[in-house]
PDB file of all heavy atoms in Angstrom:
ATOM      1  N   ALA A 250       8.512  20.995   2.004  1.00  0.00           N
ATOM      2  CA  ALA A 250       8.514  19.908   1.074  1.00  0.00           C
ATOM      3  C   ALA A 250       9.197  18.545   1.655  1.00  0.00           C
ATOM      4  O   ALA A 250       8.781  17.503   1.364  1.00  0.00           O
ATOM      5  CB  ALA A 250       9.118  20.277  -0.201  1.00  0.00           C
ATOM      6  N   GLN A 251      10.245  18.790   2.373  1.00  0.00           N
ATOM      7  CA  GLN A 251      10.916  17.652   2.862  1.00  0.00           C
ATOM      8  C   GLN A 251      10.258  17.069   4.148  1.00  0.00           C
ATOM      9  O   GLN A 251      10.273  15.836   4.256  1.00  0.00           O
ATOM     10  CB  GLN A 251      12.332  18.070   3.364  1.00  0.00           C
ATOM     11  CG  GLN A 251      13.163  16.789   3.592  1.00  0.00           C
ATOM     12  CD  GLN A 251      14.421  17.180   4.301  1.00  0.00           C
ATOM     13  OE1 GLN A 251      14.528  18.197   4.969  1.00  0.00           O
ATOM     14  NE2 GLN A 251      15.449  16.305   4.260  1.00  0.00           N
ATOM     15  N   THR A 252       9.671  17.957   5.018  1.00  0.00           N
ATOM     16  CA  THR A 252       9.169  17.411   6.359  1.00  0.00           C
ATOM     17  C   THR A 252       7.768  16.805   6.126  1.00  0.00           C
ATOM     18  O   THR A 252       7.311  16.065   7.026  1.00  0.00           O
ATOM     19  CB  THR A 252       9.223  18.425   7.347  1.00  0.00           C
ATOM     20  OG1 THR A 252       8.483  19.571   6.895  1.00  0.00           O
ATOM     21  CG2 THR A 252      10.743  18.823   7.666  1.00  0.00           C
ATOM     22  N   SER A 253       6.975  17.422   5.239  1.00  0.00           N
ATOM     23  CA  SER A 253       5.535  16.925   5.074  1.00  0.00           C
ATOM     24  C   SER A 253       5.569  15.474   4.737  1.00  0.00           C
ATOM     25  O   SER A 253       6.341  15.040   4.022  1.00  0.00           O
ATOM     26  CB  SER A 253       4.864  17.828   4.106  1.00  0.00           C
ATOM     27  OG  SER A 253       4.733  19.078   4.483  1.00  0.00           O
ATOM     28  N   LEU A 254       4.519  14.817   5.199  1.00  0.00           N
ATOM     29  CA  LEU A 254       4.417  13.436   4.740  1.00  0.00           C
ATOM     30  C   LEU A 254       4.054  13.416   3.261  1.00  0.00           C
ATOM     31  O   LEU A 254       3.419  14.342   2.673  1.00  0.00           O
ATOM     32  CB  LEU A 254       3.129  12.783   5.532  1.00  0.00           C
ATOM     33  CG  LEU A 254       3.341  12.721   6.967  1.00  0.00           C
ATOM     34  CD1 LEU A 254       2.053  12.181   7.639  1.00  0.00           C
ATOM     35  CD2 LEU A 254       4.573  11.877   7.424  1.00  0.00           C
ATOM     36  N   PRO A 255       4.540  12.461   2.632  1.00  0.00           N
ATOM     37  CA  PRO A 255       4.343  12.358   1.050  1.00  0.00           C
ATOM     38  C   PRO A 255       2.935  12.313   0.691  1.00  0.00           C
ATOM     39  O   PRO A 255       2.103  11.681   1.362  1.00  0.00           O
ATOM     40  CB  PRO A 255       5.084  11.111   0.680  1.00  0.00           C
ATOM     41  CG  PRO A 255       5.194  10.268   1.896  1.00  0.00           C
ATOM     42  CD  PRO A 255       5.283  11.219   3.024  1.00  0.00           C
ATOM     43  N   PRO A 256       2.450  12.898  -0.384  1.00  0.00           N
ATOM     44  CA  PRO A 256       1.079  12.834  -0.762  1.00  0.00           C
ATOM     45  C   PRO A 256       0.723  11.347  -1.035  1.00  0.00           C
ATOM     46  O   PRO A 256       1.526  10.610  -1.560  1.00  0.00           O
ATOM     47  CB  PRO A 256       1.003  13.616  -2.065  1.00  0.00           C
ATOM     48  CG  PRO A 256       2.219  14.606  -1.973  1.00  0.00           C
ATOM     49  CD  PRO A 256       3.298  13.818  -1.235  1.00  0.00           C
ATOM     50  N   THR A 257      -0.499  10.960  -0.705  1.00  0.00           N
ATOM     51  CA  THR A 257      -0.870   9.692  -0.813  1.00  0.00           C
ATOM     52  C   THR A 257      -2.124   9.644  -1.724  1.00  0.00           C
ATOM     53  O   THR A 257      -3.142  10.265  -1.396  1.00  0.00           O
ATOM     54  CB  THR A 257      -1.125   8.810   0.425  1.00  0.00           C
ATOM     55  OG1 THR A 257       0.044   8.977   1.226  1.00  0.00           O
ATOM     56  CG2 THR A 257      -1.560   7.494   0.191  1.00  0.00           C
ATOM     57  N   GLN A 258      -2.048   8.908  -2.845  1.00  0.00           N
ATOM     58  CA  GLN A 258      -3.273   8.774  -3.658  1.00  0.00           C
ATOM     59  C   GLN A 258      -3.676   7.343  -3.762  1.00  0.00           C
ATOM     60  O   GLN A 258      -2.940   6.530  -4.267  1.00  0.00           O
ATOM     61  CB  GLN A 258      -3.051   9.312  -5.166  1.00  0.00           C
ATOM     62  CG  GLN A 258      -4.326   9.223  -6.017  1.00  0.00           C
ATOM     63  CD  GLN A 258      -4.242  10.055  -7.232  1.00  0.00           C
ATOM     64  OE1 GLN A 258      -3.324  10.943  -7.329  1.00  0.00           O
ATOM     65  NE2 GLN A 258      -4.955   9.699  -8.276  1.00  0.00           N
ATOM     66  N   LEU A 259      -4.823   7.083  -3.076  1.00  0.00           N
ATOM     67  CA  LEU A 259      -5.321   5.643  -3.104  1.00  0.00           C
ATOM     68  C   LEU A 259      -6.346   5.484  -4.131  1.00  0.00           C
ATOM     69  O   LEU A 259      -7.198   6.404  -4.460  1.00  0.00           O
ATOM     70  CB  LEU A 259      -5.894   5.400  -1.621  1.00  0.00           C
ATOM     71  CG  LEU A 259      -5.011   5.586  -0.444  1.00  0.00           C
ATOM     72  CD1 LEU A 259      -5.722   5.286   0.807  1.00  0.00           C
ATOM     73  CD2 LEU A 259      -3.722   4.741  -0.728  1.00  0.00           C
ATOM     74  N   PRO A 260      -6.438   4.268  -4.711  1.00  0.00           N
ATOM     75  CA  PRO A 260      -7.437   4.008  -5.786  1.00  0.00           C
ATOM     76  C   PRO A 260      -8.784   3.969  -5.241  1.00  0.00           C
ATOM     77  O   PRO A 260      -9.093   3.592  -4.073  1.00  0.00           O
ATOM     78  CB  PRO A 260      -6.985   2.657  -6.318  1.00  0.00           C
ATOM     79  CG  PRO A 260      -6.278   2.007  -5.236  1.00  0.00           C
ATOM     80  CD  PRO A 260      -5.550   3.121  -4.446  1.00  0.00           C
ATOM     81  N   ILE A 261      -9.823   4.352  -5.964  1.00  0.00           N
ATOM     82  CA  ILE A 261     -11.207   4.239  -5.629  1.00  0.00           C
ATOM     83  C   ILE A 261     -11.900   3.462  -6.749  1.00  0.00           C
ATOM     84  O   ILE A 261     -11.743   3.740  -7.897  1.00  0.00           O
ATOM     85  CB  ILE A 261     -11.876   5.650  -5.419  1.00  0.00           C
ATOM     86  CG1 ILE A 261     -11.265   6.500  -4.439  1.00  0.00           C
ATOM     87  CG2 ILE A 261     -13.362   5.538  -5.295  1.00  0.00           C
ATOM     88  CD1 ILE A 261     -11.786   7.906  -4.402  1.00  0.00           C
ATOM     89  N   ASP A 262     -12.682   2.392  -6.310  1.00  0.00           N
ATOM     90  CA  ASP A 262     -13.389   1.607  -7.276  1.00  0.00           C
ATOM     91  C   ASP A 262     -14.964   1.938  -6.987  1.00  0.00           C
ATOM     92  O   ASP A 262     -15.477   1.298  -6.117  1.00  0.00           O
ATOM     93  CB  ASP A 262     -13.176   0.094  -7.160  1.00  0.00           C
ATOM     94  CG  ASP A 262     -13.989  -0.657  -8.119  1.00  0.00           C
ATOM     95  OD1 ASP A 262     -14.650  -0.090  -8.910  1.00  0.00           O
ATOM     96  OD2 ASP A 262     -13.991  -1.971  -7.933  1.00  0.00           O
ATOM     97  N   PRO A 263     -15.543   2.869  -7.704  1.00  0.00           N
ATOM     98  CA  PRO A 263     -16.925   3.310  -7.468  1.00  0.00           C
ATOM     99  C   PRO A 263     -17.787   2.161  -7.549  1.00  0.00           C
ATOM    100  O   PRO A 263     -18.934   2.113  -6.784  1.00  0.00           O
ATOM    101  CB  PRO A 263     -17.153   4.379  -8.301  1.00  0.00           C
ATOM    102  CG  PRO A 263     -15.804   4.859  -8.809  1.00  0.00           C
ATOM    103  CD  PRO A 263     -14.937   3.718  -8.803  1.00  0.00           C
ATOM    104  N   SER A 264     -17.535   1.191  -8.322  1.00  0.00           N
ATOM    105  CA  SER A 264     -18.508   0.006  -8.644  1.00  0.00           C
ATOM    106  C   SER A 264     -18.633  -0.834  -7.275  1.00  0.00           C
ATOM    107  O   SER A 264     -19.602  -1.600  -7.200  1.00  0.00           O
ATOM    108  CB  SER A 264     -18.064  -0.836  -9.729  1.00  0.00           C
ATOM    109  OG  SER A 264     -16.830  -1.510  -9.440  1.00  0.00           O
ATOM    110  N   GLY A 265     -17.722  -0.805  -6.412  1.00  0.00           N
ATOM    111  CA  GLY A 265     -17.809  -1.530  -5.182  1.00  0.00           C
ATOM    112  C   GLY A 265     -18.151  -0.809  -3.904  1.00  0.00           C
ATOM    113  O   GLY A 265     -18.086  -1.328  -2.815  1.00  0.00           O
ATOM    114  N   LEU A 266     -18.858   0.361  -4.110  1.00  0.00           N
ATOM    115  CA  LEU A 266     -19.279   1.111  -3.029  1.00  0.00           C
ATOM    116  C   LEU A 266     -20.768   1.058  -2.574  1.00  0.00           C
ATOM    117  O   LEU A 266     -21.085   1.688  -1.675  1.00  0.00           O
ATOM    118  CB  LEU A 266     -18.889   2.594  -3.289  1.00  0.00           C
ATOM    119  CG  LEU A 266     -17.401   2.936  -3.464  1.00  0.00           C
ATOM    120  CD1 LEU A 266     -17.197   4.438  -3.760  1.00  0.00           C
ATOM    121  CD2 LEU A 266     -16.612   2.481  -2.210  1.00  0.00           C
ATOM    122  N   GLY A 267     -21.445   0.270  -3.392  1.00  0.00           N
ATOM    123  CA  GLY A 267     -22.853   0.145  -3.048  1.00  0.00           C
ATOM    124  C   GLY A 267     -23.704   1.320  -3.407  1.00  0.00           C
ATOM    125  O   GLY A 267     -24.609   1.702  -2.702  1.00  0.00           O
ATOM    126  N   ILE A 268     -23.257   2.084  -4.433  1.00  0.00           N
ATOM    127  CA  ILE A 268     -24.025   3.258  -4.809  1.00  0.00           C
ATOM    128  C   ILE A 268     -24.681   3.050  -6.200  1.00  0.00           C
ATOM    129  O   ILE A 268     -24.282   2.167  -6.873  1.00  0.00           O
ATOM    130  CB  ILE A 268     -23.085   4.520  -4.778  1.00  0.00           C
ATOM    131  CG1 ILE A 268     -21.882   4.236  -5.941  1.00  0.00           C
ATOM    132  CG2 ILE A 268     -22.484   4.814  -3.597  1.00  0.00           C
ATOM    133  CD1 ILE A 268     -20.914   5.371  -6.031  1.00  0.00           C
ATOM    134  N   PRO A 269     -25.670   3.913  -6.535  1.00  0.00           N
ATOM    135  CA  PRO A 269     -26.319   3.667  -7.765  1.00  0.00           C
ATOM    136  C   PRO A 269     -25.329   3.687  -9.017  1.00  0.00           C
ATOM    137  O   PRO A 269     -24.306   4.356  -8.995  1.00  0.00           O
ATOM    138  CB  PRO A 269     -27.336   4.831  -7.894  1.00  0.00           C
ATOM    139  CG  PRO A 269     -27.544   5.238  -6.538  1.00  0.00           C
ATOM    140  CD  PRO A 269     -26.279   4.966  -5.818  1.00  0.00           C
ATOM    141  N   ALA A 270     -25.665   2.898  -9.995  1.00  0.00           N
ATOM    142  CA  ALA A 270     -24.766   2.752 -11.135  1.00  0.00           C
ATOM    143  C   ALA A 270     -24.482   4.125 -11.862  1.00  0.00           C
ATOM    144  O   ALA A 270     -23.378   4.346 -12.337  1.00  0.00           O
ATOM    145  CB  ALA A 270     -25.348   1.766 -12.181  1.00  0.00           C
ATOM    146  N   THR A 271     -25.492   4.987 -11.929  1.00  0.00           N
ATOM    147  CA  THR A 271     -25.364   6.221 -12.554  1.00  0.00           C
ATOM    148  C   THR A 271     -24.324   7.075 -11.792  1.00  0.00           C
ATOM    149  O   THR A 271     -23.501   7.839 -12.361  1.00  0.00           O
ATOM    150  CB  THR A 271     -26.700   7.039 -12.633  1.00  0.00           C
ATOM    151  OG1 THR A 271     -27.256   7.075 -11.392  1.00  0.00           O
ATOM    152  CG2 THR A 271     -27.592   6.309 -13.627  1.00  0.00           C
ATOM    153  N   VAL A 272     -24.403   7.064 -10.509  1.00  0.00           N
ATOM    154  CA  VAL A 272     -23.485   7.823  -9.705  1.00  0.00           C
ATOM    155  C   VAL A 272     -22.139   7.272  -9.772  1.00  0.00           C
ATOM    156  O   VAL A 272     -21.082   7.912  -9.865  1.00  0.00           O
ATOM    157  CB  VAL A 272     -23.950   7.809  -8.132  1.00  0.00           C
ATOM    158  CG1 VAL A 272     -22.921   8.638  -7.372  1.00  0.00           C
ATOM    159  CG2 VAL A 272     -25.250   8.496  -8.054  1.00  0.00           C
ATOM    160  N   SER A 273     -22.024   5.921  -9.872  1.00  0.00           N
ATOM    161  CA  SER A 273     -20.678   5.225  -9.893  1.00  0.00           C
ATOM    162  C   SER A 273     -20.014   5.631 -11.251  1.00  0.00           C
ATOM    163  O   SER A 273     -18.810   5.889 -11.214  1.00  0.00           O
ATOM    164  CB  SER A 273     -20.938   3.697  -9.897  1.00  0.00           C
ATOM    165  OG  SER A 273     -19.730   3.054 -10.105  1.00  0.00           O
ATOM    166  N   ARG A 274     -20.805   5.733 -12.255  1.00  0.00           N
ATOM    167  CA  ARG A 274     -20.263   6.104 -13.581  1.00  0.00           C
ATOM    168  C   ARG A 274     -19.692   7.606 -13.554  1.00  0.00           C
ATOM    169  O   ARG A 274     -18.659   7.984 -14.093  1.00  0.00           O
ATOM    170  CB  ARG A 274     -21.214   5.951 -14.745  1.00  0.00           C
ATOM    171  CG  ARG A 274     -21.405   4.460 -15.088  1.00  0.00           C
ATOM    172  CD  ARG A 274     -22.145   4.286 -16.366  1.00  0.00           C
ATOM    173  NE  ARG A 274     -23.511   4.787 -16.329  1.00  0.00           N
ATOM    174  CZ  ARG A 274     -24.619   4.060 -15.883  1.00  0.00           C
ATOM    175  NH1 ARG A 274     -24.356   2.825 -15.649  1.00  0.00           N
ATOM    176  NH2 ARG A 274     -25.812   4.536 -15.835  1.00  0.00           N
ATOM    177  N   THR A 275     -20.523   8.441 -12.901  1.00  0.00           N
ATOM    178  CA  THR A 275     -20.135   9.884 -12.825  1.00  0.00           C
ATOM    179  C   THR A 275     -18.820   9.986 -11.974  1.00  0.00           C
ATOM    180  O   THR A 275     -17.969  10.728 -12.314  1.00  0.00           O
ATOM    181  CB  THR A 275     -21.194  10.582 -11.996  1.00  0.00           C
ATOM    182  OG1 THR A 275     -22.448  10.548 -12.827  1.00  0.00           O
ATOM    183  CG2 THR A 275     -20.820  12.105 -11.860  1.00  0.00           C
ATOM    184  N   VAL A 276     -18.700   9.210 -10.942  1.00  0.00           N
ATOM    185  CA  VAL A 276     -17.476   9.294 -10.106  1.00  0.00           C
ATOM    186  C   VAL A 276     -16.282   8.754 -10.894  1.00  0.00           C
ATOM    187  O   VAL A 276     -15.221   9.301 -10.865  1.00  0.00           O
ATOM    188  CB  VAL A 276     -17.695   8.532  -8.756  1.00  0.00           C
ATOM    189  CG1 VAL A 276     -16.362   8.350  -7.986  1.00  0.00           C
ATOM    190  CG2 VAL A 276     -18.807   9.197  -7.913  1.00  0.00           C
ATOM    191  N   GLN A 277     -16.555   7.656 -11.512  1.00  0.00           N
ATOM    192  CA  GLN A 277     -15.433   6.969 -12.331  1.00  0.00           C
ATOM    193  C   GLN A 277     -14.889   7.942 -13.406  1.00  0.00           C
ATOM    194  O   GLN A 277     -13.699   8.104 -13.663  1.00  0.00           O
ATOM    195  CB  GLN A 277     -15.907   5.710 -13.025  1.00  0.00           C
ATOM    196  CG  GLN A 277     -14.778   4.896 -13.662  1.00  0.00           C
ATOM    197  CD  GLN A 277     -13.773   4.449 -12.599  1.00  0.00           C
ATOM    198  OE1 GLN A 277     -14.071   3.752 -11.655  1.00  0.00           O
ATOM    199  NE2 GLN A 277     -12.451   4.778 -12.913  1.00  0.00           N
ATOM    200  N   ASP A 278     -15.812   8.559 -14.096  1.00  0.00           N
ATOM    201  CA  ASP A 278     -15.453   9.446 -15.118  1.00  0.00           C
ATOM    202  C   ASP A 278     -14.739  10.705 -14.558  1.00  0.00           C
ATOM    203  O   ASP A 278     -13.797  11.261 -15.160  1.00  0.00           O
ATOM    204  CB  ASP A 278     -16.780  10.014 -15.933  1.00  0.00           C
ATOM    205  CG  ASP A 278     -16.417  10.997 -17.021  1.00  0.00           C
ATOM    206  OD1 ASP A 278     -15.686  10.544 -17.920  1.00  0.00           O
ATOM    207  OD2 ASP A 278     -16.859  12.033 -17.021  1.00  0.00           O
ATOM    208  N   ALA A 279     -15.195  11.208 -13.347  1.00  0.00           N
ATOM    209  CA  ALA A 279     -14.570  12.355 -12.799  1.00  0.00           C
ATOM    210  C   ALA A 279     -13.101  12.013 -12.417  1.00  0.00           C
ATOM    211  O   ALA A 279     -12.203  12.819 -12.566  1.00  0.00           O
ATOM    212  CB  ALA A 279     -15.362  12.774 -11.562  1.00  0.00           C
ATOM    213  N   ILE A 280     -12.918  10.851 -11.807  1.00  0.00           N
ATOM    214  CA  ILE A 280     -11.569  10.418 -11.404  1.00  0.00           C
ATOM    215  C   ILE A 280     -10.706  10.316 -12.656  1.00  0.00           C
ATOM    216  O   ILE A 280      -9.587  10.798 -12.591  1.00  0.00           O
ATOM    217  CB  ILE A 280     -11.690   9.088 -10.651  1.00  0.00           C
ATOM    218  CG1 ILE A 280     -12.353   9.320  -9.306  1.00  0.00           C
ATOM    219  CG2 ILE A 280     -10.212   8.519 -10.430  1.00  0.00           C
ATOM    220  CD1 ILE A 280     -12.708   7.951  -8.531  1.00  0.00           C
ATOM    221  N   ARG A 281     -11.259   9.810 -13.750  1.00  0.00           N
ATOM    222  CA  ARG A 281     -10.414   9.623 -14.930  1.00  0.00           C
ATOM    223  C   ARG A 281      -9.983  10.947 -15.405  1.00  0.00           C
ATOM    224  O   ARG A 281      -8.959  11.065 -15.980  1.00  0.00           O
ATOM    225  CB  ARG A 281     -11.358   8.919 -16.014  1.00  0.00           C
ATOM    226  CG  ARG A 281     -10.417   8.549 -17.235  1.00  0.00           C
ATOM    227  CD  ARG A 281     -11.248   7.443 -18.016  1.00  0.00           C
ATOM    228  NE  ARG A 281     -12.629   7.698 -18.215  1.00  0.00           N
ATOM    229  CZ  ARG A 281     -13.645   6.933 -17.636  1.00  0.00           C
ATOM    230  NH1 ARG A 281     -13.351   5.975 -16.874  1.00  0.00           N
ATOM    231  NH2 ARG A 281     -14.871   7.348 -17.900  1.00  0.00           N
ATOM    232  N   ARG A 282     -10.912  12.054 -15.307  1.00  0.00           N
ATOM    233  CA  ARG A 282     -10.522  13.343 -15.675  1.00  0.00           C
ATOM    234  C   ARG A 282      -9.733  14.164 -14.583  1.00  0.00           C
ATOM    235  O   ARG A 282      -9.493  15.362 -14.868  1.00  0.00           O
ATOM    236  CB  ARG A 282     -11.751  14.113 -16.050  1.00  0.00           C
ATOM    237  CG  ARG A 282     -12.431  13.625 -17.414  1.00  0.00           C
ATOM    238  CD  ARG A 282     -13.711  14.341 -17.691  1.00  0.00           C
ATOM    239  NE  ARG A 282     -14.866  14.055 -16.904  1.00  0.00           N
ATOM    240  CZ  ARG A 282     -15.341  14.928 -15.947  1.00  0.00           C
ATOM    241  NH1 ARG A 282     -14.702  16.078 -15.764  1.00  0.00           N
ATOM    242  NH2 ARG A 282     -16.365  14.658 -15.183  1.00  0.00           N
ATOM    243  N   ASP A 283      -9.500  13.497 -13.524  1.00  0.00           N
ATOM    244  CA  ASP A 283      -8.750  14.155 -12.362  1.00  0.00           C
ATOM    245  C   ASP A 283      -9.703  15.288 -11.836  1.00  0.00           C
ATOM    246  O   ASP A 283      -9.107  16.369 -11.384  1.00  0.00           O
ATOM    247  CB  ASP A 283      -7.353  14.668 -12.764  1.00  0.00           C
ATOM    248  CG  ASP A 283      -6.519  14.916 -11.576  1.00  0.00           C
ATOM    249  OD1 ASP A 283      -6.684  14.102 -10.656  1.00  0.00           O
ATOM    250  OD2 ASP A 283      -5.573  15.795 -11.641  1.00  0.00           O
ATOM    251  N   ASP A 284     -10.935  15.140 -11.951  1.00  0.00           N
ATOM    252  CA  ASP A 284     -11.946  16.163 -11.495  1.00  0.00           C
ATOM    253  C   ASP A 284     -12.386  15.766 -10.024  1.00  0.00           C
ATOM    254  O   ASP A 284     -13.468  15.266  -9.948  1.00  0.00           O
ATOM    255  CB  ASP A 284     -13.099  16.226 -12.466  1.00  0.00           C
ATOM    256  CG  ASP A 284     -14.123  17.339 -12.060  1.00  0.00           C
ATOM    257  OD1 ASP A 284     -13.940  17.965 -10.992  1.00  0.00           O
ATOM    258  OD2 ASP A 284     -15.181  17.505 -12.757  1.00  0.00           O
ATOM    259  N   TRP A 285     -11.629  16.022  -9.135  1.00  0.00           N
ATOM    260  CA  TRP A 285     -11.892  15.499  -7.727  1.00  0.00           C
ATOM    261  C   TRP A 285     -13.053  16.320  -7.079  1.00  0.00           C
ATOM    262  O   TRP A 285     -13.735  15.774  -6.205  1.00  0.00           O
ATOM    263  CB  TRP A 285     -10.632  15.518  -6.895  1.00  0.00           C
ATOM    264  CG  TRP A 285      -9.730  14.408  -7.355  1.00  0.00           C
ATOM    265  CD1 TRP A 285      -8.608  14.661  -8.116  1.00  0.00           C
ATOM    266  CD2 TRP A 285      -9.819  13.004  -6.979  1.00  0.00           C
ATOM    267  NE1 TRP A 285      -8.018  13.317  -8.306  1.00  0.00           N
ATOM    268  CE2 TRP A 285      -8.716  12.390  -7.607  1.00  0.00           C
ATOM    269  CE3 TRP A 285     -10.724  12.279  -6.328  1.00  0.00           C
ATOM    270  CZ2 TRP A 285      -8.502  11.008  -7.579  1.00  0.00           C
ATOM    271  CZ3 TRP A 285     -10.546  10.896  -6.214  1.00  0.00           C
ATOM    272  CH2 TRP A 285      -9.448  10.284  -6.702  1.00  0.00           C
ATOM    273  N   ARG A 286     -13.357  17.428  -7.520  1.00  0.00           N
ATOM    274  CA  ARG A 286     -14.382  18.193  -6.968  1.00  0.00           C
ATOM    275  C   ARG A 286     -15.774  17.477  -7.289  1.00  0.00           C
ATOM    276  O   ARG A 286     -16.663  17.401  -6.472  1.00  0.00           O
ATOM    277  CB  ARG A 286     -14.411  19.804  -7.480  1.00  0.00           C
ATOM    278  CG  ARG A 286     -13.228  20.547  -7.014  1.00  0.00           C
ATOM    279  CD  ARG A 286     -13.212  20.744  -5.591  1.00  0.00           C
ATOM    280  NE  ARG A 286     -12.139  21.505  -5.107  1.00  0.00           N
ATOM    281  CZ  ARG A 286     -12.048  22.837  -4.965  1.00  0.00           C
ATOM    282  NH1 ARG A 286     -13.159  23.611  -5.269  1.00  0.00           N
ATOM    283  NH2 ARG A 286     -11.018  23.427  -4.496  1.00  0.00           N
ATOM    284  N   THR A 287     -15.883  17.147  -8.598  1.00  0.00           N
ATOM    285  CA  THR A 287     -17.056  16.468  -8.925  1.00  0.00           C
ATOM    286  C   THR A 287     -17.233  15.065  -8.280  1.00  0.00           C
ATOM    287  O   THR A 287     -18.292  14.715  -7.779  1.00  0.00           O
ATOM    288  CB  THR A 287     -17.037  16.253 -10.501  1.00  0.00           C
ATOM    289  OG1 THR A 287     -17.184  17.515 -11.073  1.00  0.00           O
ATOM    290  CG2 THR A 287     -18.361  15.398 -10.919  1.00  0.00           C
ATOM    291  N   ALA A 288     -16.036  14.381  -8.260  1.00  0.00           N
ATOM    292  CA  ALA A 288     -16.062  13.060  -7.485  1.00  0.00           C
ATOM    293  C   ALA A 288     -16.439  13.201  -6.047  1.00  0.00           C
ATOM    294  O   ALA A 288     -17.352  12.457  -5.517  1.00  0.00           O
ATOM    295  CB  ALA A 288     -14.614  12.401  -7.632  1.00  0.00           C
ATOM    296  N   GLU A 289     -15.960  14.201  -5.364  1.00  0.00           N
ATOM    297  CA  GLU A 289     -16.256  14.309  -3.894  1.00  0.00           C
ATOM    298  C   GLU A 289     -17.741  14.775  -3.751  1.00  0.00           C
ATOM    299  O   GLU A 289     -18.354  14.265  -2.841  1.00  0.00           O
ATOM    300  CB  GLU A 289     -15.327  15.291  -3.165  1.00  0.00           C
ATOM    301  CG  GLU A 289     -15.436  16.702  -3.549  1.00  0.00           C
ATOM    302  CD  GLU A 289     -14.592  17.665  -2.700  1.00  0.00           C
ATOM    303  OE1 GLU A 289     -14.358  17.199  -1.529  1.00  0.00           O
ATOM    304  OE2 GLU A 289     -14.355  18.820  -3.115  1.00  0.00           O
ATOM    305  N   ALA A 290     -18.190  15.553  -4.584  1.00  0.00           N
ATOM    306  CA  ALA A 290     -19.646  16.076  -4.532  1.00  0.00           C
ATOM    307  C   ALA A 290     -20.642  14.850  -4.681  1.00  0.00           C
ATOM    308  O   ALA A 290     -21.576  14.666  -3.864  1.00  0.00           O
ATOM    309  CB  ALA A 290     -19.900  17.171  -5.556  1.00  0.00           C
TER     310      ALA A 290
END
């Protein structure tokens, strides 16, 4: 715990990624729910 680099959580703005709006909303909703498996898929 002491020697590992600290966890880093960077913000993601799906609306600025050039992806379809429906996918962007899915990703945004998944991030809001902390559902990173859905977001990464």
Side-chain angles (χ1 to χ4, degrees):
Q251 189 197 23
T252 57
S253 297
L254 299 178
T257 303
Q258 182 167 341
L259 302 182
I261 297 174
D262 178 10
S264 65
L266 299 178
I268 58 179
T271 54
V272 179
S273 176
R274 286 193 294 271
T275 297
V276 172
Q277 187 65 58
D278 181 62
I280 293 172
R281 188 165 44 247
R282 292 182 286 106
D283 203 30
D284 180 4
W285 288 100
R286 296 294 179 91
T287 296
E289 71 172 338

